[in-house]
Amino acid sequence: MDFDTLFNAQLDQLKADGNYRYFAELERQCGKFPKAANHAEDGVRDVTVWCSNDYLGMGQHPKVIAAMCEAVERTGTGAGGTRNISGTNHDHLLLEHELADLHGKESALLFTSGYVSNWAALSTLGSRLDGCVILSDAGNHASMIEGIRHSRAQKVIWKHNDVADLEENLAALPANCPKIVAFESVYSMDGDVAPIREIVDVAEKYGAMTYLDEVHAVGMYGSRGGGVSERDKIADRITLIEGTLGKAFGVVGGYITGSAALCDFIRSFASGFIFTTALPPAVAAAARTSIAHLKASNAEREGQRRQVARLRQALDREGIPHMQNESHIVPVMIGDPVKTRMLSDYLMREWDIYVQPINYPTVPKGTERLRFTPSPLHTDDDIDHLVKALRVLWKQCALAHAVA
Ligand SMILES: *Cc1c(COP(=O)(O)O)cnc(C)c1O
């Protein structure tokens, strides 16, 4: 059998649909974020990265770098094993304490990524709680969807951020079955924020546990970076808070926090926790330093808010349509995969601006977009340059303007 022919047939279809994924080959340069070297076919050039999830530039923070280097010198490179077999290092425990404290929970449990934490936690809860039903927001991330699927638990999808629909679904279930309401705080593609308090009120009314993904909010919302649940003073009523160390904290890894029993349960039964090598201790040390810094410092959050507001105002002045939301994510809607790709290519080639086109299946067809994430390290000049480029491209490509 000629397998490559089978592979290529599907790849060709993806390309014809405009949904093939091209990766930019970047070389991040410590101290110069959001600038990075772009290794393109015609050579290497500096570009300004406008779509990084290193939202606050913590990936190059001197304290975080120093913590990682110190820990490498002290402990070496890898963890030396799975958590179960010689891989649990002191630095992992220190980080788990830091995370539990961040969310005001009894315990925390580390994973190799946020994806793995969602996948492992939801698949374990859904498969080991007898008769469990998982109520999943329609906008949930792939990692939650896959975890729920793997659990084989009954799944009910409720309309995105729609508390009435959630309640209707909860009310239709038997009173005595275990129920999990799974949702996110900040949704990464539209940048909209869940009505967490209303969701928790309804979940409690029906005795459901709440599972909140704060991946796009940790480090950035709340006075200590505990996420939207901290900002809204509701964290204590959420059963499980999940997050990443790879976005605003600038390192890599994922985690859950909750009661001691909940974390011990996942620790004891989740295959995705048990059968994989633990994160390098140096990664844990760097993440802990980043979290501790953002607990005490508001400067990064304030700087980010300022630059987000500045970009939105500049787009408004030019009539460039962007989705309104209360978060740090600025989606500029194009609504066509080929045009979105083309704009992204022009921005890179002619303006040294890197923003990845966001196409199906990451977003629904017809809502293709450019998604900008201003950081405190994007300068006013960076913003002016971006908006000037968009103004020119909007004219060249005859794209629609926002109705004033
Ligand atoms: C990125 C993301 C994850 C996965 O986190 P990683 O640490 O990158 O694996 C989980 N949930 C949401 C909503 C995400 O956007």
Side-chain angles (χ1 to χ4, degrees):
M1 218 170 202
D2 184 355
F3 284 101
D4 281 351
T5 304
L6 298 176
F7 301 147
N8 283 322
Q10 294 203 27
L11 290 169
D12 290 344
Q13 184 58 50
L14 206 57
K15 285 176 191 167
D17 293 342
N19 289 326
Y20 185 73
R21 292 170 192 263
Y22 297 90
F23 295 164
E25 184 180 333
L26 301 178
E27 190 176 355
R28 304 185 82 198
Q29 295 163 321
C30 187
K32 289 171 75 179
F33 184 80
K35 301 271 189 281
N38 178 39
H39 291 250
E41 274 167 25
D42 55 350
V44 184
R45 272 213 322 272
D46 270 7
V47 296
T48 303
V49 180
W50 271 103
C51 53
S52 178
N53 282 340
D54 185 359
Y55 290 126
L56 302 174
M58 293 304 287
Q60 63 167 36
H61 194 287
K63 284 206 253 178
V64 179
I65 296 167
M68 187 178 275
C69 293
E70 182 279 325
V72 168
E73 297 286 347
R74 177 166 49 81
T75 73
T77 51
T82 63
R83 287 291 294 269
N84 187 39
I85 306 179
S86 91
T88 294
N89 282 256
H90 184 52
D91 290 282
H92 296 128
L93 274 287
L94 292 176
L95 173 54
E96 287 174 341
H97 288 138
E98 189 77 52
L99 288 164
D101 174 76
L102 176 67
H103 295 293
K105 299 290 182 198
E106 282 176 357
S107 267
L109 196 63
L110 265 178
F111 295 82
T112 46
S113 75
Y115 187 104
V116 172
S117 65
N118 272 333
W119 184 87
L122 281 166
S123 60
T124 302
L125 290 166
S127 65
R128 299 201 72 98
L129 293 174
D130 235 9
C132 176
V133 179
I134 303 180
L135 298 104
S136 177
D137 183 287
N140 276 348
H141 187 257
S143 54
M144 284 199 266
I145 295 169
E146 289 299 328
I148 296 165
R149 197 211 313 267
H150 186 73
S151 80
R152 301 185 182 200
Q154 185 189 333
K155 163 164 139 174
V156 175
I157 297 174
W158 47 287
K159 287 187 199 140
H160 176 56
N161 279 350
D162 186 332
V163 182
D165 189 54
L166 170 64
E167 174 150 24
E168 214 168 283
N169 280 296
L170 278 167
L173 292 168
N176 58 358
C177 75
K179 304 170 192 74
I180 301 173
V181 175
F183 62 112
E184 302 179 22
S185 55
V186 177
Y187 286 84
S188 69
M189 291 301 145
D190 288 357
D192 56 338
V193 178
I196 300 181
R197 184 170 299 279
E198 288 79 357
I199 291 170
V200 170
D201 283 344
V202 168
E204 284 179 353
K205 181 172 162 192
Y206 292 89
M209 76 170 259
T210 39
Y211 185 112
L212 176 60
D213 175 321
E214 286 255 43
V215 160
H216 290 278
V218 289
M220 287 180 292
Y221 297 88
S223 59
R224 301 194 315 155
V228 181
S229 58
E230 185 200 6
R231 185 196 71 181
D232 294 355
K233 301 188 169 45
I234 187 103
D236 62 320
R237 289 173 60 197
I238 294 164
T239 321
L240 184 157
I241 297 176
E242 182 272 348
T244 185
L245 307 171
K247 289 171 184 170
F249 293 130
V251 193
V252 71
Y255 64 89
I256 60 165
T257 61
S259 71
L262 169 61
C263 292
D264 199 22
F265 180 76
I266 305 294
R267 186 186 72 90
S268 302
F269 292 115
S271 162
F273 174 80
I274 299 169
F275 296 105
T276 188
T277 300
L279 287 172
V283 164
R288 181 164 73 95
T289 301
S290 181
I291 294 162
H293 176 82
L294 290 174
K295 273 180 185 169
S297 167
N298 264 315
E300 292 80 8
R301 287 185 279 274
E302 281 164 6
Q304 182 192 40
R305 245 158 248 153
R306 190 166 54 239
Q307 296 313 69
V308 169
R310 196 181 170 91
L311 175 61
R312 288 183 194 280
Q313 281 161 13
L315 291 172
D316 285 341
R317 267 200 305 280
E318 298 298 334
I320 292 170
H322 58 102
M323 208 180 244
Q324 299 299 329
N325 63 51
E326 54 163 306
S327 77
H328 59 283
I329 292 161
V330 185
V332 169
M333 308 305 285
I334 312 298
D336 175 279
V338 177
K339 268 190 200 161
T340 309
R341 161 98 258 146
M342 194 178 71
L343 282 167
S344 162
D345 286 347
Y346 279 152
L347 285 168
M348 185 79 109
R349 252 201 335 265
E350 291 167 23
W351 297 87
D352 297 328
I353 288 167
Y354 170 48
V355 61
Q356 184 70 14
I358 308 283
N359 285 351
Y360 176 83
T362 309
V363 294
K365 285 181 183 171
T367 72
E368 292 82 3
R369 67 197 66 179
L370 301 173
R371 171 186 177 272
F372 298 94
T373 53
S375 77
L377 297 172
H378 287 86
T379 63
D380 294 354
D381 283 348
D382 289 334
I383 293 174
D384 292 347
H385 181 70
L386 170 64
V387 173
K388 182 177 171 199
L390 291 174
R391 178 173 65 220
V392 171
L393 288 178
W394 245 245
K395 219 173 249 156
Q396 276 175 6
C397 304
L399 289 164
H401 280 81
V403 189

